Amino acid sequence: VQLQASGGGLVQAGGSLKLSCVASGRASGDLTVAWFRQAPGKEREFVAAIRRSGGTIHYADSVMGRFTMSRDKAKNTVYLQMSNLKPEDTGVYYCSAGGGIILSSLRTADRYAYWGQGTQVTVSS
């Protein structure tokens, strides 16, 4: 599976961005797909995930109510709509995918076998 993330950029605090992640090589609908982010000098952290089975989308507390993850199975693409961005949202955003990820492991980066190259999001104050 190859993942290609795009849509990052520079935005002022309070602004919005929409990230996209296109999967190739395998239908992303067969996999759990997640967004993680990594700020300079910090560990990679969970942002949001949607399981293969669909249904509830899981969010980190820090982005709840501001970010919305969605999936378009026909386009094999997942999105992350980010609104009311804050400087602390700055980082490289990665999309990831994996199979057989149980609910309790959704937020654990090393459970995901496939990773995109990342897209930089910078929020200025």
Side-chain angles (χ1 to χ4, degrees), residues 17 20 31 67 75 96 107:
L17 283 173
S20 300
L31 302 170
F67 290 11
K75 295 183 178 180
S96 59
R107 300 164 188 258

Side-chain angles (χ1 to χ4, degrees), residues 8-104:
L10 173 64
V11 65
Q12 289 188 331
S16 300
L17 283 173
K18 186 174 184 177
L19 306 183
S20 300
C21 176
V22 180
S24 60
R26 181 175 175 180
S28 64
D30 294 341
L31 302 170
T32 294
V33 183
W35 289 96
F36 286 79
R37 66 186 181 188
Q38 188 166 19
K42 294 187 177 182
E43 292 187 355
R44 195 166 296 189
E45 67 171 347
F46 171 81
V47 175
I50 183 168
R51 299 182 71 191
R52 166 188 173 182
S53 57
T56 303
I57 298 174
H58 304 263
Y59 296 96
D61 289 345
S62 59
V63 307
M64 184 77 71
R66 300 187 298 121
F67 290 11
T68 302
M69 184 177 182
S70 60
R71 167 186 265 167
D72 185 333
K73 290 188 177 181
K75 295 183 178 180
N76 223 18
T77 301
V78 295
Y79 304 96
L80 185 68
Q81 175 68 53
M82 306 185 294
S83 302
N84 191 20
L85 283 160
K86 303 176 181 181
E88 52 263 43
D89 294 318
T90 294
V92 178
Y93 282 68
Y94 299 91
C95 62
S96 59
I101 300 176
I102 60 176
L103 183 58
S104 60

